[in-house]
Amino acid sequence: MRTNCTKEMIPIVVEHLTALEENIDHFFPSLNTEKYDWVRNLFVDISSNIGFKLREEEELATISSGRSLKIKYSKVDIDTIWISIQKEFPALAEKGLLVLLQFSTSYLCEVGFSSLINIKNKKERLRSTEKEMRVCLSNIRPNIQEVIRQHQAQVPH
């Protein structure tokens, strides 16, 4: 019985994998990461075929030619750099932050799915996971000592 099921499944799996192989470029187009080098390092030389508007090119040229900016940002995280240049270089900052936003968004989705899987695996009988998910995905961490202090058993008078 088991071998019949396996023999019937093989063509279905092969067909599915073939279709996936044919369409993978549609869902995951090849990405030329060189055109995003400027996001990781504002002081790198870039080619002119990246698709910048004139204002963005001017802002990038101003930043990359400024030695004081290079020194200032040499020891700062990439997200801090992009947030700090928003006022002075708004067009370039918007373009750079849009690129970086994609990574943080996909990271948050991965964290959410991992949390959901962990909750579902640990509490199989749980129908609603909304409250547990809210706690897992919150950036606010509880002050356990304060919670314990507020909820200590009351001594009768």
Side-chain angles (χ1 to χ4, degrees):
M1 177 89 171
R2 187 172 214 176
T3 55
N4 279 345
C5 181
T6 306
K7 288 179 181 178
E8 293 171 3
M9 293 287 294
I10 289 175
I12 295 170
V13 172
V14 169
E15 180 184 344
H16 174 72
L17 291 175
T18 305
L20 183 62
E21 182 181 27
E22 291 170 0
N23 294 314
I24 195 133
D25 287 334
H26 172 72
F27 295 106
F28 300 101
S30 63
L31 181 63
N32 180 6
T33 58
E34 289 177 7
K35 72 180 193 178
Y36 296 111
D37 284 346
W38 63 273
V39 177
R40 291 187 306 258
N41 184 358
L42 285 166
F43 307 100
V44 71
D45 289 334
I46 62 161
S47 62
S48 59
N49 61 353
I50 290 182
F52 279 169
K53 296 177 183 167
L54 180 60
R55 180 164 173 85
E56 295 164 347
E57 280 188 34
E58 289 172 349
E59 289 180 0
L60 184 59
T62 303
I63 290 173
S64 60
S65 65
R67 185 164 163 72
S68 62
L69 287 173
K70 188 172 187 174
I71 293 169
K72 180 179 177 183
Y73 294 124
S74 65
K75 297 178 180 130
V76 180
D77 292 333
I78 192 170
D79 54 338
T80 306
I81 294 171
W82 284 103
I83 291 170
S84 66
I85 67 169
Q86 271 185 310
K87 288 183 181 175
E88 195 173 350
F89 306 102
L92 189 64
E94 181 179 353
K95 191 173 188 103
L97 287 170
L98 284 174
V99 171
L100 292 174
L101 185 64
Q102 298 171 32
F103 297 102
S104 63
T105 304
S106 59
Y107 169 77
L108 291 173
C109 288
E110 289 177 24
V111 169
F113 283 122
S114 293
S115 298
L116 181 62
I117 289 169
N118 285 335
I119 291 168
K120 288 286 191 180
N121 286 341
K122 290 178 182 176
K123 301 180 180 182
E124 293 175 5
R125 288 176 261 120
L126 196 62
R127 291 180 190 236
S128 173
T129 59
E130 184 178 333
K131 291 178 183 175
E132 285 78 8
M133 287 291 291
R134 188 176 296 138
V135 172
C136 287
L137 299 177
S138 174
N139 289 332
I140 302 169
R141 296 292 170 221
N143 183 343
I144 302 297
Q145 296 302 321
E146 181 65 20
V147 171
I148 291 171
R149 188 185 65 72
Q150 289 179 3
H151 289 70
Q152 285 181 342
Q154 299 295 320
V155 179
H157 298 293

